[in-house]
């Protein structure tokens, strides 16, 4: 196992720079997830750690060794790809053993390591099968087994669950997290799915347009987002953003209604701001703001409701069943302790 240090790393294709001076410290044994929308640079950064992309400038170190000019096969990493990348003409056992065979390991060591990995991943009954005879989840386990057999310092995962159906993704999330807890190998994982990031990571790195917007523990990012991008990206359903201004008595929305604020920044009267409120932090309150029910979406355990107040749509999530119908008015209020204020011009969080 080893730490991974990324210092002022930049990547340009021709004159177009797509990674802009990224700095990340990944501790030995840590599970770090790079998350962000398509095109934010997360997969490119992962490929630079792996040595599959050249670094334009900056420095990447694995352990105490700077690996900028070290070939991928000498970096002591193992990568699990989105499309599994299995050899179709080889059995499961041979796919898992292939990297050790290339190194010239003896047959007894290969058999022992393949058996260990297959036991961990529940692949023992499948060792004689070929990839075409496996389900998507089984193929992904084989790809993970091939990485485990190498016993690397660092695991790299590039959107490994994106080709699986929703139920299997949930199952595989748990299996990968359990695997990390068992092996304790430093892991860097790329996904665009913030639910994967929230449920699996020790630390999340939120990327956007080639920069790091925020990094930290999942619940830290959820509870205290630095800016509008992180606030809107982390959490499902997404945080509500209500535009307005700070004035006498609190926040005055553009639609003509008012919301309370816990502590407004100094000298902020008249300042354009965005009031951020997560759907689960909205409650029904007889003294609240009248809002029209637009859509009701029951999921069983909770009810998601799209509301409209002052011309602005607000999504709320209630644990209780809703008897209201579209077109009816219900009074809503925020849970003040978890409301957020952001600068409308630069998107930065206003209240610490």
């Amino acid at each position: 196992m080893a730490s991974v240090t990324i210092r002022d790393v930049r990547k340009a294709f021709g004159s177009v720079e797509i990674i802009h001076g990224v700095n990340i410290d990944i501790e030995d044994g840590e599970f770090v997830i790079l998350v962000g929308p398509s095109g934010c640079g997360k997969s490119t950064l992962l490929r630079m750690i792996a040595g599959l992309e050249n670094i334009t400038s900056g420095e990447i170190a694995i352990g105490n060794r700077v690996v900028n000019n070290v070939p991928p096969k000498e970096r002591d990493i193992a990568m699990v790809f989105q499309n599994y990348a299995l050899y179709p003409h080889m059995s499961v056992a041979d796919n898992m053993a292939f990297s050790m065979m290339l190194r010239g390991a003896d047959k007894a060591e290969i058999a022992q390591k393949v058996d260990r990995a297959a036991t961990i991943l529940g692949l023992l009954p499948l060792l004689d099968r070929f990839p075409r005879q496996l389900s998507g989840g089984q193929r992904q386990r084989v790809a993970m087994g091939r990485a485990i057999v190498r016993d690397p310092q660092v695991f790299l995962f590039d959107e490994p669950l994106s080709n699986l159906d929703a139920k299997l993704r949930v199952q595989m999330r748990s299996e990968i997290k359990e695997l990390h807890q068992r092996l304790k190998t430093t892991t860097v994982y790329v996904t665009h799915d913030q639910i994967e990031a929230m449920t699996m990571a020790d630390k999340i790195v939120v990327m956007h347009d080639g920069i790091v917007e925020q990094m930290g523990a999942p619940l830290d990012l959820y509870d205290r987002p630095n800016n509008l991008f992180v606030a809107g990206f982390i959490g499902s359903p997404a945080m509500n953003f209500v535009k307005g201004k700070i004035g006498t008595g609190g926040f005055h929305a553009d639609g003509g209604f008012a919301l309370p604020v816990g502590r407004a920044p100094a000298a902020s009267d008249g300042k354009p701001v965005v009031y951020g409120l997560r759907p689960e932090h909205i409650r029904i309150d007889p003294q609240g703001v009248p809002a029209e029910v637009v859509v009701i979406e029951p999921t069983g355990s909770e009810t998601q409701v799209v509301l409209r107040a002052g011309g602005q749509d607000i999504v709320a999530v209630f644990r209780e069943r809703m008897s209201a119908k579209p077109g009816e008015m219900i009074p809503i209020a925020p849970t003040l302790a978890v409301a957020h204020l952001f600068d409308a011009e630069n998107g930065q969080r206003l209240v610490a």
Side-chain angles (χ1 to χ4, degrees):
M1 295 185 291
S3 61
V4 177
T5 305
I6 299 168
R7 282 284 170 269
D8 195 26
V9 165
R10 298 175 184 271
K11 175 65 178 177
F13 291 105
S15 61
V16 180
E17 188 173 81
I18 60 168
I19 302 286
H20 310 287
V22 166
N23 292 281
I24 304 172
D25 289 314
I26 300 169
E27 296 178 13
D28 188 358
E30 195 170 30
F31 194 126
V32 172
I33 293 188
L34 310 179
V35 68
S38 297
C40 71
K42 58 189 184 297
S43 288
T44 300
L45 185 59
L46 190 79
R47 290 172 64 83
M48 288 195 287
I49 296 171
L52 302 176
E53 292 281 359
N54 293 326
I55 301 168
T56 302
S57 67
E59 186 176 280
I60 293 179
I62 297 176
N64 295 321
R65 181 173 65 151
V66 176
V67 296
N68 289 29
N69 299 312
V70 176
K73 66 180 181 179
E74 296 177 16
R75 295 192 180 198
D76 200 9
I77 55 96
M79 192 160 181
V80 179
F81 295 91
Q82 177 180 347
N83 62 356
Y84 320 133
L86 302 177
Y87 295 106
H89 62 287
M90 290 184 181
S91 67
V92 167
D94 287 344
N95 264 287
M96 292 171 65
F98 188 64
S99 62
M100 294 191 68
M101 291 164 59
L102 288 179
R103 289 208 311 261
D106 65 70
K107 290 185 178 180
E109 182 187 3
I110 292 174
Q112 184 267 328
K113 288 199 170 184
V114 168
D115 186 74
R116 170 178 173 265
T119 300
I120 290 171
L121 295 167
L123 293 172
L124 283 175
L126 308 176
L127 288 177
D128 293 328
R129 294 191 188 180
F130 291 90
R132 65 179 179 274
Q133 298 171 307
L134 305 177
S135 68
Q138 290 168 339
R139 292 179 193 178
Q140 191 57 271
R141 284 192 189 91
V142 175
M144 290 163 56
R146 183 175 55 193
I148 292 170
V149 164
R150 296 187 61 179
D151 195 20
Q153 291 192 85
V154 181
F155 285 135
L156 304 178
F157 287 86
D158 190 7
E159 303 206 37
L161 307 184
S162 59
N163 288 337
L164 305 179
D165 63 57
K167 185 176 181 180
L168 192 51
R169 279 204 304 272
V170 173
Q171 179 185 336
M172 290 299 295
R173 284 204 310 253
S174 296
E175 291 186 10
I176 292 173
K177 189 168 185 176
E178 184 183 5
L179 178 66
H180 177 260
Q181 290 167 350
R182 182 183 300 199
L183 300 178
K184 302 190 183 305
T185 303
T186 307
T187 301
V188 186
Y189 185 111
V190 160
T191 182
H192 63 273
D193 185 337
Q194 53 93 17
I195 297 295
E196 277 182 38
M198 288 291 294
T199 55
M200 296 169 67
D202 297 325
K203 180 164 68 184
I204 295 175
V205 179
V206 181
M207 296 188 65
H208 181 222
D209 290 341
I211 65 169
V212 173
E213 294 281 359
Q214 188 174 355
M215 69 177 83
L219 291 179
D220 288 345
L221 270 61
Y222 186 85
D223 292 335
R224 303 182 66 78
N226 281 350
N227 54 46
L228 283 171
F229 178 81
V230 176
F233 192 84
I234 298 294
S236 181
M239 182 183 288
N240 294 291
F241 296 134
V242 182
K243 296 179 181 179
K245 295 180 179 180
I246 296 292
T248 304
F251 170 83
H252 298 273
D254 289 349
F257 60 92
L259 294 171
V261 294
R263 182 161 57 89
S268 60
D269 276 8
K271 182 180 181 64
V273 298
V274 176
Y275 194 104
L277 190 63
R278 296 204 179 277
E280 63 272 27
H281 297 154
I282 295 172
R283 68 184 193 279
I284 296 174
D285 185 334
Q287 305 303 314
V289 175
E292 180 188 358
V293 176
V294 179
V295 177
I296 296 180
E297 299 178 339
T299 63
S301 61
E302 60 190 24
T303 304
Q304 184 171 311
V305 183
V306 180
L307 302 159
R308 188 164 293 146
Q312 300 195 54
D313 284 356
I314 298 172
V315 177
V317 171
F318 302 109
R319 296 292 296 179
E320 64 270 18
R321 303 289 173 93
M322 295 289 294
S323 58
K325 300 288 190 295
E328 293 183 18
M329 303 295 288
I330 61 173
I332 59 170
T335 302
L336 190 56
V338 286
H340 306 266
L341 285 178
F342 301 93
D343 190 302
E345 294 180 2
N346 60 27
Q348 296 301 304
R349 181 185 181 85
L350 284 175
V351 181

